[in-house]
Amino acid sequence: MAAKIEELPVTKSKTETAPSWNVVVHNDPVNLMSYVTLVFRRVFGYSTERARRHMLEVHELGRSILWTGDREKAELYVQQLHGHLLLATLERAGE
Amino acid sequence: MEFHVPDAKHVCFRMIPPRLAECLREIPAYLGNLSSRAERRFFPSPAEDADADELRADWKAHVEPGLHEYFGSSRDTVAADLRAMSEEDELFTLLIPENHIDAWLNVLNQMRLALAEDFELGETLGLNEPPNLSTPRGIAILQSEVFMFMQECLVRHLE
């Protein structure tokens, strides 16, 4: 006789249920590469190497995901990036 | 025009020819009267999704006023430095306190973006082709290159 497997209710922690958001920076032919790198270092606290890698991704691929996490913080990052006149948007992670 | 660091608390651009000094002095007025194209570029949408209307409305109501204020305050700082520009033998010196460098970076970027929108410079920039200075667009390209040089000097100084 096969044992009956009892279905347990699935509970998710807050972190699992809240969707993650990406902070995306888009290419802009006007902003200087050195300036964009400086902004990434300042806003996200990234090393020069990491900031430069993201800057090159923006330049070559048209966009780069700079950060992923909760919406409130993502909005704050986009706000800061707009303050530096970069083209930045929020998007749900996984889209 | 050359970049110089006179002491620990200032940087400066010196040997600025009169025409260029005039062009710098025009910055606050130019940015004080933004075209609708430039305005759109300065305040982009925070989302690309078609269904993000609520976020966009929220952004306009709560975030954009702060950005307006920040851009305006950077312009005021730059305008004050420009008013203090000194002249000797028909060459000008622009002294920038260290704590004004961020405002300058922001305003130089505002100018380059506004010019790019107003004169559709996007694809032209970086081609290194000599601009035709008999046209307003050619002058805008030259201005943009001067502002780019100034931005590069300030960014390198901060690095």
Side-chain angles (χ1 to χ4, degrees), chain A residues 82 86-88, chain B residues 39-47 59 64 67:
Chain A
H82 283 193
L86 300 196
L87 288 173
Chain B
E39 185 91 16
R40 274 197 299 278
R41 175 58 188 83
F42 280 32
F43 303 99
S45 170
W59 203 260
E64 287 189 9
L67 292 174

Side-chain angles (χ1 to χ4, degrees), chain B residues 126-140:
Chain B
L127 292 181
N128 295 323
E129 285 176 10
N132 176 359
L133 296 180
S134 63
T135 65
R137 189 169 187 274
I139 292 171

Side-chain angles (χ1 to χ4, degrees), chain A residues 21 26 28-35 37-38 41-42 63 71 75-76 78-79 82-92 95, chain B residues 41-49 55 59 63 67 70-71 102 105-106 109-110 112-113 116 122-123 125 148 151-152 155 158-159:
Chain A
W21 291 76
H26 305 265
D28 176 328
V30 181
N31 279 318
L32 297 179
M33 291 178 167
S34 56
Y35 176 73
T37 305
L38 177 74
R41 282 173 51 205
R42 284 186 167 185
R63 56 179 259 147
R71 178 166 173 163
E75 283 185 6
L76 193 63
V78 171
Q79 182 179 344
H82 283 193
H84 292 288
L85 296 145
L86 300 196
L87 288 173
T89 54
L90 284 170
E91 69 177 23
R92 276 177 200 275
E95 280 184 355
Chain B
R41 175 58 188 83
F42 280 32
F43 303 99
S45 170
E48 289 189 307
D49 309 353
L55 172 63
W59 203 260
V63 175
L67 292 174
Y70 176 62
F71 295 153
D102 283 354
L105 279 174
N106 195 279
N109 218 32
Q110 290 183 36
R112 293 185 64 247
L113 289 166
E123 301 309 317
L125 298 173
M148 179 176 75
Q151 260 191 307
E152 284 283 13
V155 169
L158 291 177
E159 280 174 351

